[in-house]
Amino acid sequence: MSQQPRIVFEAIEASRSFDVSKGPLQRVLSGEGRRILRAVDSVSFGISHASTLSLVGESGCGKSTMARLAVGLYRPTGGEVRFEGQNLSAARAQPALRRKMNMIFQDPYASLNPRWRVRDIVAEPIRAFKLLQGPKDINDRVGQLLTQVGLSAKDGEKFPHEFSGGQRQRISIARALSSEPEFLVCDEPTSALDVSVQAQILNLMRDLQNRYGLTYLFISHNLAVVRHMSDRLGVMYLGRIVEQGPAEAIFRTPRHPYTRLLLEAIPDISSVGRRRTPVGGEVPSPIAPPPGCTFHPRCSLANERCRTEKPEHTRNDDVLVACHAVQEGRAV
Amino acid sequence: MLRRFLDSDFAYAFRRSPVAVISTLVVVVVVLAALLAPYLAPHNPFDLASLDLMDSLKPPVFSADGDSAFPLGTDDQGRDVLSTIMYGTRISLEVAVLAIGFSLVVGISIGLLAGYAGGAVDAVLMRIVDVQLTFPAILIALLVDGVVRALLPREMQEALEIDVIVFAIGISRWPQFARTVRGSTLIERGRDYVMAARVIGISSARIMISHILPNVLGPVLVIATLNLGLAILDEATLSFLGVGLPPTEPSLGTLIRIGNNFLFSGEWWITIFPGLTLAAMVLSINLLGDWLRDALNPRLR
């Protein structure tokens, strides 16, 4: 089995910036220039069939923007996003390919239309792609999908507000599956849920992945969740991926100082009372990122080179790291 | 279903509010009387054969020389005032409901489009709204009414009498609806359920109609209730000014104008009773609208 796994989704130097300038008149009056926010900055990765790539990072690091780039809700302002070997917007123009991707959202209270019955929410992709004809077939399929995610077929008659957060996320999953997708983008699917419910949803998602060979792009800020889900991992900081590679390799030997800080911060029952080095400082503004390595103001290993020169990705075993200290062997 | 409604917060708040109960009663009585006028009214004021000039200008039944056949007296043509009020209310309500319906369709469409499309479309549409809001609605209605009448050929004017006034009042009231809908649409279009629809490639038109519209309708319907009262007044004002409905199809406003001529000669009932009906109906509708607005706003609970 040395066959190269098929790459389902690929980002090639993908960037997305937003113009957050004031209005033209105010700009002239205050003498300010344009303000560009680079939410995602030259991000490259690929996801092979039936595997999960997770992106982790703090709030504002651009991971949700990346999720939206991946399903075509945003167009990249630079680079390219590819699905099944085609440019994403070309792929999305074909219903047969568009059907193969779907998204699960963070907040199950906002992602289900409050005025729609659950059966219509779940059936919308089926109707949109004309996968089934006739109300009876559609109803049967919706019932089957709801059972599959651990709800009852009768729940289709209800409205979203009659369900708990975990149940709603199951409805979202049923809806996402109803177009029979291959690729699911999951934007923090469990971060709005109780810890006990999180595990149920994650297990459900893994089951479904094994059963249908789903490919996941999984966005999260929770490293414990990510470890449970991922084959590969990308750590994002201020719009860039600072470290990416096989998830286990990164968890075992984190190289980038930022990855180490994140792993340090995971609560762990075996080391209660352990002294931690707190993550100092705030994430700098992505409108005016620091020069050189964007992490240098918070990094204990930063030197003059880090303050001036942007680090390139270098390969260590299977892991790509963008850090001068790692490259120079200063990080031990 | 009914059981559940009666047990709801909404029904409870309704029962607890005397204002809501009384104004609902008034509205129901007036609307029923208007709708069932052909069956309930003691006389048919439009049946010329039944009119008798000998009956003209009779005072209400409670004054000295009143006639029990005409409880609220008669006008100069010998028409029963109570019956003309019932038929007049019918016309007033018809015009107001149609006008607000027309307004809602225009306002909601424009509001949805502006809110969802954003950018230049939004800017242009909302500036039109702003400009129109700088004029009083009645002035717009007067202007539109005049222009449309001038454009229509004479023989069509009679047939389109009601349509013209519905159009004039409707076009004067849409900006408020457009603004409200636009505001709610701006909020809704960023919600995840809209994103979820966009991910599977649902068209913008469909998203606006089947996803956003049901979620922005609530506040607009409350404003529509309040505007219904105003539309009745608009129609009455236009008719009172003589540019609305003709005496052959007398609305409440027309009745008040006709009766006004007799006010100083002592025949007060011809104008006062239609006036009271109008005031009671509009006041009740407005109070009901106000109550509805508060009852549906969870922050005011």
Side-chain angles (χ1 to χ4, degrees), chain A residues 146-163:
Chain A
L146 287 173
T147 323
Q148 205 167 64
V149 296
L151 296 168
S152 142
K154 277 180 291 178
D155 289 337
E157 293 304 310
K158 297 184 188 164
F159 284 96
H161 68 255
E162 299 175 53
F163 294 90

Side-chain angles (χ1 to χ4, degrees), chain B residues 41-43 45 51 69-75 78-85:
Chain B
H43 304 271
L51 293 182
F70 305 104
L72 297 181
T74 59
D75 67 2
R79 294 186 291 198
D80 175 41
V81 169
L82 177 63
S83 307
T84 55
I85 289 175

